[in-house]
Each structure stands twice: as structure tokens, then as C-alpha cells.
Amino acid sequence: MANVSLQQIGKSYGGSVAVEAFNLEIRDGEFLVLLGPSGCGKSTTLRMIAGLESITTGDLLIGDTRMNNVDPKNRGVAMVFQNYALYPHKTVSENMGMALKLQKMPKADIEERIAGVADMLGLTDYLERKPGSLSGGQRQRVAIGRAIVRTPEVFLFDEPLSNLDAKLRVKMRMELQELHDRLGVTSVYVTHDQVEAMTLADRIVIMDGGVIAQVGTPREVYDKPATEFVAGFIGSPAMNFMTMQLASDGSWSSTESTLVLPELPGFDTRGADTVRVGIRPEHMTILDASAVGDDPWVLPGKVMLAELLGADALLTLSVCGEIMTARVNGVGYPEQGQQLAVRLNPEQLHAFDRESKKALQV
Ligand code: ADP
């Protein structure tokens, strides 16, 4: 096991920058997830750690060794790919043992190690089969097994579950979690799926346009998003955003609708007379229309659309003309067309600088 240190790492393709000034200390034994939309530089970062992509600027250390120019096979890393990358004409056992054979490990030792890992992954009965006769989940397990037999210091996962159906993804996610608990190997995992990131990660790195937008635990990035981008990316359905302007009486009114908030409690809005305010769909309380009155946080609204998801329902609301999504209990929720009242819980508001998009200090 080893820590991984990325110091001012950058990657350019020709003139275009894919990753810029990436600074991160990945702790020994940590499960770190790189999360972000397509094209934000996640795979490039992972591939630079693997040695599959050259590093344009900065230093990469694994343990205490600078790895920039070290051959991939000598970095102590093992990578698991989205497309499994198995040899179709070789058996499961041969696929898993390939790297060890190249290292000239004695045959008996290879077999022993394969047997142990196959047992761990439930592959014992499949060792003599070819990948073509395995299910997607089994193939991915072979790919993971092939990485484990090498006893690497660092596992690198590039969207390993993306080719699996939804049910199998959940199962494999649990298996990966168990494996990590058991082996404790430092892992770097790339995904664009926030649920995978939230459930697997010790810490998440959210990337936006080749740079780090935020590093934090799943709870931190959900509760305290550092930028408007992170706030909109983490959470499903996405956070509702409004552009609000300061009025002379200290209240804030939307530039798009008649929605008015009495104040932005706790936020340092000094020097900003227009800010972006956000609230998550799960942080709005739906009340009877008659509740509008004394509490300035209770606003009149109307249901534009009501969608049952199962346990929950999503309401698309017009709140003082502002279109917002609310997540409510799936039993007894209001119908389309119904008038109601919405309380925007003030302690669960987020506020961002309109120019820099950074969260305003509390
Ligand atoms: P992600 O994994 O987040 O989807 P990538 O790391 O694959 O993003 O890509 C980051 C950026 O680098 C993208 O703009 C992509 O088009 C560009 N890029 C990736 N690989 C190459 C390449 N081999 N040549 C030129 N540009 C590339």
C-alpha cells in the first residue's frame, strides 16, 4: 500500500489543456473517487498515475518515489478498465495470471495466488472458461481479480461498472466496497456517476474543466459545496438556483420572478448586491395554501407537474413565478394544478458569488 501525491500535475494535448495544476495527497489505504462530467479530465488524471499518459508538468509520487518517467509496470499500480480488456482466447485463469507469468513467478505460486483471489471473488468454478462464456459481472470480476493477483500498492479504476446494468452495478458496488475493506489498498476510482462516488468514496474530488472544483468527504460536498458547479452536480434532482438582488430594506428579490426572501441568514454578502441562491429539492417543506401569512419563508406556489418515483414524488412548482423542484413523500402528495405553500428552510439555503461562482462564507 502507498500514498499517492500529485503535485501541480498538468496535461496538455498540443495546445489544449486537459488537466491543470492538479494538487492532491491521496492517503495510504484511501478510496478516492474522481467525479465530474464527461471531458473534465478524470481519465487523463488516472492515466497519468498509471503511466499510460505522459505528464506534461508537475510531479507524481507513489510512496516516496517520483514516478513521472517510470514504466507503467514498475509503478506498483494495477488498473481495471470499463471494457474489462480481457484476452478472449485465454481462460479466466490465464487472464488472471498473465502479469505474474511475465514477471516469471513460479507456476505453483501463480496458481496458488489465482486460487485465493478466485475464491475471494466467487470465480473458482469459472477458472477454465473463456471470457466469452461469462456474464458482464463475471467478466468485470475477472478484470478485478487480474488486478488483485498482482498485489499492487494502488488500484486504479476507470469507470469499471459503466457497462453493467443498473441492478448489477449496485451489487458490484457492494463487492468493491467489501474488497476495499478487506484489502485496504489505496484506490483511485473514476466515475461520472455521483451515486457511485457518494457510496464508495472516502473522499471525492470533483473536477470541472480540467481543474479541481472541490475535495471532500461525500457529506462535505453535499452539505457544503464549494462552488455553484459542485452544488448543481451533487444531488439528484439538482439543486434549485435563483438569481437574487438586494433591496434597500435588506430583503432579496429574484431577478426572474416575484419571489422575495426576507434575508440571507448567515452569509457574508458584503460587497455583493446580486447573488445566486440555491436550495435542494429535499429542503423545501410543502404546506397547505392557507399557511401563507406570518412566516416570510412560507411562499405561495402551484404544482405544475407531479411525478411519482416510488417512495418519493417530485413536484415541479411555480413559487411566486419561480420554477422549482421539490422532493416529497410518495404518499399523499399534492396533484398537478393544486395551490399550496412552500417553506424554503432558511438554514438549508446555499449562496454563491455571481461572478466567481464560489460559495459565500457563512
Ligand atoms: P473525462 O475522463 O473526464 O471524460 P478526459 O480525461 O478523457 O475526460 O478528457 C479531458 C480532455 O482532454 C477532453 O477535452 C478530451 O477531449 C481531451 N483529450 C483526452 N484525450 C485526448 C487525446 N488523446 N488527444 C487530445 N485530446 C484529448
Side-chain angles (χ1 to χ4, degrees):
M1 288 197 294
N3 59 307
V4 180
S5 176
L6 294 103
Q7 301 172 358
Q8 289 291 110
I9 294 280
K11 175 75 190 179
S12 304
Y13 293 104
S16 76
V17 176
V19 176
E20 200 176 353
F22 193 106
N23 280 307
L24 186 70
E25 295 295 326
I26 305 170
R27 299 174 200 130
D28 192 7
E30 183 171 28
F31 200 114
L32 186 106
V33 175
L34 298 177
L35 174 70
S38 179
C40 72
K42 309 178 294 291
S43 296
T44 301
T45 305
L46 193 78
R47 292 169 66 82
M48 283 192 282
I49 301 174
L52 302 175
E53 207 69 77
S54 65
I55 297 171
T56 313
T57 56
D59 295 306
L60 168 73
L61 277 73
I62 299 179
D64 295 326
T65 313
R66 186 173 185 273
M67 290 289 179
N68 289 49
N69 303 313
V70 174
D71 205 65
K73 68 176 189 305
N74 297 327
R75 292 189 182 199
V77 304
M79 189 144 162
V80 178
F81 297 90
Q82 176 178 349
N83 62 4
Y84 322 131
L86 301 175
Y87 294 98
H89 304 300
K90 296 196 180 294
T91 64
V92 167
S93 177
E94 286 165 343
N95 266 286
M96 283 170 70
M98 185 79 100
L100 304 181
K101 198 169 160 195
L102 288 173
Q103 286 171 18
K104 309 238 181 314
M105 184 186 268
K107 196 160 176 259
D109 293 352
I110 296 179
E111 279 172 9
E112 189 184 329
R113 209 180 275 182
I114 290 174
V117 173
D119 183 44
M120 190 191 299
L121 294 170
L123 289 172
T124 306
D125 294 342
Y126 304 94
L127 284 174
E128 296 315 313
R129 286 211 202 166
K130 303 257 171 74
S133 68
L134 299 177
S135 69
Q138 287 164 339
R139 272 181 232 173
Q140 190 52 281
R141 244 179 256 146
V142 176
I144 293 167
R146 184 178 53 182
I148 296 175
V149 293
R150 296 175 54 196
T151 58
E153 298 204 271
V154 181
F155 282 127
L156 304 174
F157 296 98
D158 194 358
E159 307 243 7
L161 308 185
S162 297
N163 284 354
L164 306 176
D165 65 49
K167 203 169 159 191
L168 197 54
R169 266 206 307 272
V170 175
K171 185 160 179 280
M172 290 295 290
R173 220 162 63 204
M174 275 163 45
E175 288 186 15
L176 280 175
Q177 244 164 345
E178 279 169 20
L179 267 180
H180 182 71
D181 289 348
R182 186 159 165 181
L183 302 172
V185 175
T186 312
S187 301
V188 187
Y189 186 105
V190 161
T191 182
H192 63 272
D193 180 340
Q194 54 157 312
V195 177
E196 259 175 43
M198 293 295 277
T199 52
L200 285 170
D202 291 322
R203 283 191 303 162
I204 301 176
V205 175
I206 296 157
M207 294 185 70
D208 178 17
V211 299
I212 294 178
Q214 187 171 2
V215 183
T217 63
R219 172 123 324 263
E220 281 164 356
V221 297
Y222 175 81
D223 284 349
K224 292 192 170 54
T227 65
E228 186 176 328
F229 172 80
V230 174
F233 195 78
I234 296 281
S236 178
M239 187 183 280
N240 298 292
F241 291 104
M242 303 164 270
T243 305
M244 308 290 286
Q245 248 170 358
L246 181 63
S248 54
D249 64 355
S251 67
W252 294 81
S253 29
S254 167
T255 58
E256 305 284 318
S257 70
T258 59
L259 192 148
V260 175
L261 299 176
E263 57 178 331
L264 290 179
F267 293 106
D268 183 357
T269 57
R270 276 175 300 177
D273 54 13
T274 305
V275 301
R276 296 275 286 164
V277 173
I279 186 157
R280 295 199 184 278
E282 52 273 36
H283 295 154
M284 297 157 64
T285 310
I286 304 300
L287 303 164
D288 196 80
S290 62
V292 177
D294 296 341
D295 182 346
W297 295 99
V298 176
L299 304 165
K302 182 178 176 184
V303 181
M304 312 302 288
L305 185 68
E307 297 166 289
L308 177 64
L309 299 183
D312 295 339
L314 295 183
L315 304 179
T316 304
L317 303 171
S318 170
V319 182
C320 303
E322 193 86 30
I323 303 300
M324 305 177 87
T325 304
R327 181 189 281 276
V328 296
N329 196 308
V331 179
Y333 56 89
E335 294 168 8
Q336 188 172 336
Q338 195 171 324
Q339 300 287 340
L340 41 67
V342 181
R343 184 165 198 277
L344 305 183
N345 304 338
E347 62 279 8
Q348 284 164 319
L349 287 181
H350 298 261
F352 303 91
D353 186 280
R354 190 168 63 143
E355 301 301 327
S356 71
K357 311 281 187 196
K358 288 188 178 152
L360 295 177
Q361 294 302 310
V362 179

